[in-house]
Amino acid sequence: MTLVFDHLTLGQRVLFGTGRAAENLATEVQRLGARKVMVIASGSEAAMADAVCAGIEPALRWDEVVMHVPVEVAERARSAAAQHRIDLLVSVGGGSTTGLAKAVALTTGIPIVAVPTTYAGSEATNVWGLTESARKTTGVDDRVLPVTVIYDASLTLSLPTDLSVASGLNGMAHCIDSLWAPRADPINAALAAEGIRALSRGLPLVKAEPENFGGREQALYGAYLSAVAFASAGSGMHHKICHVLGGTFNLPHAQTHATVLPYVLAFNAPAAPEAETRAAAAFGAGNALDGLNGLRDTLDAPRALADYGFRKEDIPEVVRIALPAIPASNPRKVTAGNLSTVLAAATTGDDPKTLTDL
């Protein structure tokens, strides 16, 4: 069969090394010629940020970090960056921290060096997200792609095990969604499959042996691959649903993705046999859903949206907002009826296999 596809690879420097974040950051600040650095890190990660920034002298430290990046929070950070004439943003933290740096870069063009402390993957994409009036808006802009990502597995030690699990499964969602997203292609699929393999090997080690850097390095490597695939392939059904759950109902980002993922996989897999076979092989399982569910059982992963405050009576609102945004290229036709069924199962934590024959 002849291959025909159009693939875009984003340009970004990646520095990977356990225990080397401070050294690598100092090197990058010097290489980029930055004179006024704004360090973005939440208050809870201030000590970690101090350690990472030991080799530089920040002009400004910013600790107002809020999940889903409310517009008003972004505006305050943008104003501070302008007032201090910042020429480099350094984000130290998870997806919310990276997201705030992206919000500043979106309107200012200031470059970002991202230092992730979770497996969120936002650091490797040119996708931004902002929330205003209970609506999350996302977009794509190369200005928000960090010029450099610094990975250091030791920085993930402070992440509680349950949040490590949810964050890693968020990365897994990037991989699986990339297999049937609007711009899916063979290169994205190869990256996504390797991401699934790395995450499915690394996350159980993170849970079983929290001090094991080998597992954490595999999880970080997998999260990076997942994000690169996602950035190229685009946002599929899973992410369109989760953006509404997070932006409109303020559900926690990582846990929401971890919960919804098996239901979207169960819904789409029968209509996407090539993607399903590739994912199954990456899991080392007979089929992709069994592979994912086996991993989730091992990790004691989040099970139900209701555990985070979501109610069945909110499903029609999610359907109303999400349905028009789900790509027409989704492997199975999505209707208000079957989307409601998917959400109902995810709300109560029903067996995802019930959706395969929907």
Side-chain angles (χ1 to χ4, degrees), residues 52-211:
V52 170
C53 297
I56 67 172
E57 295 183 6
L60 176 63
R61 294 176 182 269
W62 191 263
D63 64 4
E64 188 187 13
V65 176
V66 181
M67 186 171 61
H68 304 304
V69 195
V71 167
E72 59 273 18
V73 173
E75 288 294 348
R76 286 193 286 271
R78 291 165 176 167
S79 296
Q83 181 181 350
H84 289 80
R85 298 182 179 179
I86 297 301
D87 60 6
L88 181 67
L89 303 168
V90 173
S91 62
V92 182
S96 297
T97 305
T98 307
L100 178 58
K102 287 182 170 185
V104 176
L106 181 65
T107 57
T108 65
I110 300 171
I112 303 169
V113 172
V115 187
T117 62
T118 71
Y119 310 111
S122 175
E123 67 278 355
T125 79
N126 58 352
V127 179
W128 56 267
L130 290 166
T131 302
E132 184 175 19
S133 301
R135 293 290 184 272
K136 186 169 185 176
T137 301
T138 62
V140 175
D141 194 305
D142 286 346
R143 288 178 296 180
V144 310
L145 177 72
V147 295
T148 305
V149 184
I150 295 173
Y151 288 108
D152 182 339
S154 68
L155 302 181
T156 68
L157 285 172
S158 64
L159 194 65
T161 301
D162 60 342
L163 192 51
S164 294
V165 166
S167 181
L169 289 172
N170 180 22
M172 186 70 75
H174 287 138
C175 292
I176 291 174
D177 224 20
S178 296
L179 294 174
W180 44 57
R183 297 187 303 278
D185 66 41
I187 295 175
N188 298 330
L191 292 169
E194 175 64 0
I196 291 170
R197 186 206 64 78
L199 285 163
S200 64
R201 305 303 185 273
L203 289 174
L205 281 174
V206 172
K207 183 174 177 62
E209 304 175 44
E211 304 297 319

Side-chain angles (χ1 to χ4, degrees), residues 313-348:
E313 39 278 41
D314 295 324
I315 289 175
E317 179 71 355
V318 178
V319 172
R320 184 183 70 80
I321 301 170
L323 185 58
I326 293 174
S329 59
N330 191 69
R332 288 182 73 175
K333 180 175 176 58
V334 184
T335 66
N338 59 32
L339 180 55
S340 296
T341 301
V342 169
L343 288 165
T347 300
T348 54

